[in-house]
Amino acid sequence: MCTLIVRTGRELTLMGVRDEFADRPWEGPGEHWPDYPGVIGGRDLKAGGTWLAVNPAARRAAALLNGHGRAADETTKVSRGDLALRAAYTGEPPTGDLGRYDPFHLVLAGLDRVLLFSWNGERLTTSPLPEGTSMVVNSGLDPESERVAAYLPRFRAAGDWSELAAEAPSDDRGALIIRHELPDGRVFASLSVMRVSIARESVTYDFTDLTADQDR
């Protein structure tokens, strides 16, 4: 995932836009993981993990974004896709040998607090997300990001985020919904949008497959 928007309040809302190579196989949200009963998310069929997981019973969600920094050793590296699953299931921060993972940002969100864990390959930092609406991108909570500069004011002003997520794909660096055709013929694009709303009374999610009307 390359963009996560979070709005705190009596109802906690997260919207994740997943950017990935279009030929990487995946499937939509479901309870795909017996080791994490009750956790719902889209599944990456190459590595088996997810980019945004919700645990309705616990009123909790977790989202994973790739980060910047020192890559893990190829001989011991493991997929980052289990990080959001474990966080949504347990409510705990990432633990263990983080050196096995490439850099990441992990958002763990509940009604009582929303935390951002950032691993740069050498050090893990933890920070609370501010009240209101925030955007997390591959460089973290980065106000200098072209995407954040272009879209965070719009998300803060919008009551309904649907129109922003429905914009046409663009190869502009600051676009929210992207599509890049690479020289080797592969396509890197926004593949899906998942929105999760968490309240004391209920948890809902909406999933949009952005590839439905596109050539993959």
Side-chain angles (χ1 to χ4, degrees):
M1 184 192 302
C2 281
T3 308
L4 180 73
I5 304 95
V6 180
R7 181 166 60 203
T8 63
R10 184 177 180 277
E11 182 176 86
L12 172 67
T13 304
L14 300 88
M15 190 174 80
V17 180
R18 186 187 185 216
D19 300 339
E20 184 53 88
F21 284 105
D23 58 0
R24 183 166 177 140
W26 58 278
E27 61 183 336
E31 294 185 42
H32 299 297
W33 304 274
D35 290 342
Y36 303 101
V39 174
I40 297 168
R43 180 166 61 168
D44 173 50
L45 294 178
K46 181 176 181 180
T50 192
W51 51 95
L52 177 55
V54 57
N55 184 342
R59 302 293 192 264
R60 186 165 56 231
L64 177 73
L65 295 87
N66 296 346
H68 298 158
R70 187 176 69 182
D73 189 315
E74 288 291 338
T75 62
T76 57
K77 180 163 61 177
V78 295
S79 170
R80 292 165 288 194
D82 69 325
L83 291 166
L85 290 170
R86 286 195 282 119
Y89 185 66
T90 66
E92 299 296 326
T95 58
D97 182 9
L98 297 183
R100 299 178 303 155
Y101 297 102
D102 280 340
F104 63 81
H105 301 288
L106 177 69
V107 173
L108 176 57
L111 290 171
D112 56 340
R113 62 179 183 173
V114 182
L115 297 176
L116 172 64
F117 303 97
S118 295
W119 168 252
N120 66 2
E122 300 178 88
R123 186 168 65 99
L124 180 71
T125 60
T126 306
S127 57
L129 261 64
E131 294 295 320
T133 303
S134 304
M135 284 184 71
V136 185
V137 291
N138 293 136
S139 48
L141 281 172
D142 181 6
E144 302 302 318
S145 160
E146 293 178 62
R147 186 174 296 175
V148 173
Y151 279 91
L152 182 54
R154 298 175 65 185
F155 277 104
R156 284 175 171 165
D160 181 359
W161 294 347
S162 301
E163 289 189 8
L164 294 173
E167 292 185 347
S170 170
D171 62 1
D172 187 276
R173 287 178 56 87
L176 178 70
I177 307 300
I178 65 165
R179 182 178 176 87
H180 299 296
E181 297 187 11
L182 306 181
D184 63 1
R186 299 182 75 191
V187 173
F188 187 81
S190 299
L191 303 185
S192 64
V193 177
M194 184 169 175
R195 178 171 173 170
V196 177
S197 297
I198 301 175
R200 298 285 179 194
E201 304 81 13
S202 63
V203 175
T204 61
Y205 71 88
D206 298 302
F207 184 82
T208 302
D209 178 358
L210 298 178
T211 72
D213 298 320
Q214 299 176 14
D215 292 330
R216 294 182 62 185

